[in-house]
Amino acid sequence: MSAVSSRSSQETIELFNKYVIPNYRRYPVCIVRGEGTSVWDAEGRRYLDLFPGWGCNILGHCPPRVVRAIQEQAASLIHVPNTWYTESQGEFAEAICTRSFGKVFFANSGAEANEGAMKLARLHAGRGRYKIITFTNGFHGRTFGAVTATAQPKYHEGLGPLLPGFRYAPFNDLDAVAELIDDETCAILLEPIQGEGGVNIPDDDYLRGLRKICDERELLLIFDEVQTGMGRTGNWFGYQQSGVQPDIMTLAKGLAAGVACGAFVCRDHIAPSLKPGMHASTFGGNPLAMAAGLATVRTIEEDNLLENARQMGERFRGHFAALREELPIIQDVRVRGMMIGVELSVPATAAVGRCMERGVLINVTHDTVVRLLPPLNITAEEVDEGAEVVCQAIRELAQEA
């Protein structure tokens, strides 16, 4: 058993059963330590984590420079309200905006960042323009505005009535978007690559088409880059691969390498529409998250991790493309850096358990898409180790189909 574990996995599970609201589906494993791409359970078993922190651990578990930055910051200042200036918040804002555009507002999570972005869009549009167009299979978070923006009925069940003003369009259909716009529409919100929806990559001209529609109809284009941002796709931000700059961009997950942190970035001329008192976040921009974020940016650049993400993504693609030649159940292989989806023609959920039994952690979304979000610093050996296990699990699904 690990030296940092005082209980077995089963003892911790029993503690949860007694005191924690059971609204999450959890695997019967208690994780007690992480280092790089690996985690260990209470019994000392090691797992290769290809879905660390749902993509939040963008540098793997406990990256040394981020750990040191948090330790040093905690010794001097843990939290102050946003009624004061802090050096680290200004520096992290500079680090984000000089690699993207505009000005930044800090929050705690992706959902909170999306809430702020939608409020800003309505405030900026004014004149009764409040409608926002979002897309089928998109995902924007679990707060009320964000879950309403999420055009998936399963997330709306039992919550109605939802917030007014949202219209849903099919992904990759410009004509459908144009038909939904009226004089009350203020913005279009989407992920430049849908993550939870199945790692869905838009057609080459789709984002350019949306930009053109927004410019012609005086709408704001909002990209939810909660998952695609911070180097996930092999560029700092997903929009940079398309050449289409949004008016507002939301960020979270990998922003501070696993420390809770969200943000939205907007063009300079839009920022004044968010006047004092209209929006706030008590913990947003707190010194610990800012120190972690700065250390994350420096690590990505000093270790050339954007290039590594691109190279390792192609290495994953090679494994799964070869398997596609072997197995007809593989419908598609979608890869952008360290954002990987393998779509099957059969249910894939069982692959999660089979990989876990072999010491590899993965995710399946929408029942048929094997989804991997490895850290940017994964090595070639770890790619080969993980891909071999995932491929074997898919072969077993094919044999049973």
Side-chain angles (χ1 to χ4, degrees):
M1 185 178 293
S2 167
V4 299
S5 174
S6 61
R7 293 182 172 89
S8 68
S9 287
Q10 185 56 41
E11 288 170 335
T12 296
I13 291 167
E14 290 170 2
L15 193 65
F16 269 55
N17 289 342
K18 189 172 183 179
Y19 293 112
V20 178
I21 294 173
N23 66 310
Y24 293 105
R25 294 188 181 93
R26 301 178 192 267
Y27 300 109
V29 173
C30 176
I31 301 297
V32 297
R33 185 169 73 87
E35 181 180 339
T37 55
S38 298
V39 292
W40 286 263
D41 66 16
E43 285 68 39
R45 186 183 183 195
R46 177 247 183 190
Y47 300 84
L48 177 66
D49 194 352
L50 299 184
F51 202 69
W54 293 75
C56 297
N57 300 89
I58 203 155
L59 300 177
H61 294 272
C62 302
R65 275 173 280 195
V66 175
V67 170
R68 282 198 299 275
I70 295 169
Q71 290 171 331
E72 291 170 3
Q73 182 61 56
S76 60
L77 195 63
I78 292 177
H79 177 71
V80 291
N82 279 304
T83 46
W84 307 95
Y85 294 96
T86 58
E87 183 178 4
S88 60
Q89 186 174 145
E91 290 180 348
F92 192 32
E94 178 186 38
I96 294 171
C97 295
T98 54
R99 290 162 179 79
S100 57
F101 59 93
K103 289 183 169 58
V104 64
F105 175 93
F106 287 108
N108 300 302
S109 68
E112 193 183 334
N114 282 325
E115 294 283 346
M118 290 185 286
K119 287 172 69 174
L120 176 57
R122 288 185 174 188
L123 289 166
H124 184 72
R127 306 187 305 278
R129 296 173 62 195
Y130 66 100
K131 294 178 181 175
I132 297 174
I133 296 172
T134 65
F135 295 85
T136 305
N137 286 332
F139 184 82
H140 302 291
R142 305 284 189 156
T143 53
F144 232 79
V147 81
T148 307
T150 296
Q152 298 191 50
K154 66 181 180 182
Y155 293 124
H156 299 168
E157 190 174 347
L159 296 178
L162 300 176
L163 297 181
F166 289 86
R167 301 291 182 269
Y168 306 134
F171 196 57
N172 255 338
D173 187 339
L174 290 173
D175 291 337
V177 174
E179 290 175 2
L180 289 175
I181 297 171
D182 60 26
D183 292 341
E184 295 175 327
T185 307
C186 68
I188 294 173
L189 164 64
L190 77 161
E191 301 154 277
I193 299 174
Q194 289 185 335
E196 191 271 352
V199 193
N200 300 318
I201 300 171
D203 295 341
D204 289 342
D205 61 351
Y206 186 62
L207 298 181
R208 287 193 294 273
L210 290 178
R211 179 72 270 175
K212 185 171 183 290
I213 289 173
C214 286
D215 292 341
E216 291 174 349
R217 303 295 296 269
E218 296 185 344
L219 312 178
L220 294 184
L221 182 61
I222 306 171
F223 280 175
D224 177 339
E225 295 231 24
V226 167
Q227 189 167 124
T228 55
M230 212 58 179
R232 171 61 62 194
T233 65
N235 286 76
W236 273 112
F237 305 101
Y239 82 85
Q240 292 165 336
Q241 292 183 323
S242 68
V244 175
Q245 182 176 306
D247 299 298
I248 305 175
M249 170 177 69
T250 60
L251 303 167
K253 289 198 181 295
L255 195 54
V259 176
C261 185
F264 65 81
V265 179
C266 67
R267 291 178 187 261
D268 287 324
H269 74 281
I270 298 171
S273 295
L274 198 67
K275 294 179 171 53
M278 294 304 297
H279 192 57
S281 175
T282 297
F283 289 104
N286 81 81
L288 290 180
M290 300 298 97
L294 277 167
T296 303
V297 170
R298 290 165 183 157
T299 301
I300 290 172
E301 290 193 331
E302 291 170 6
D303 292 355
N304 197 25
L305 295 183
L306 297 181
E307 177 62 25
N308 190 66
R310 290 190 287 268
Q311 291 183 5
M312 294 303 105
E314 292 310 304
R315 196 174 184 95
F316 269 116
R317 186 197 300 278
H319 283 286
F320 296 130
L323 190 67
R324 189 181 186 186
E325 296 296 318
E326 176 188 329
L327 301 178
I329 68 164
I330 298 182
Q331 300 295 293
D332 198 10
V333 176
R334 299 186 283 269
V335 178
R336 283 288 188 277
M338 287 293 94
M339 193 171 186
I340 299 150
V342 182
E343 183 169 6
L344 309 185
S345 61
V346 300
T349 304
V352 176
R354 296 182 184 205
C355 287
M356 190 165 65
E357 290 170 0
R358 296 178 172 94
V360 174
L361 306 183
I362 66 166
N363 172 255
V364 166
T365 187
H366 281 245
D367 194 38
T368 58
V369 181
V370 174
R371 180 169 56 146
L372 310 180
L373 297 174
L376 306 187
N377 50 358
I378 193 171
T379 66
E381 292 74 19
E382 290 165 339
V383 170
D384 296 344
E385 176 191 354
E388 181 179 345
V389 170
V390 175
C391 287
Q392 182 56 35
I394 295 174
R395 284 192 187 94
E396 292 173 4
L397 295 178
Q399 290 169 358
E400 296 164 4

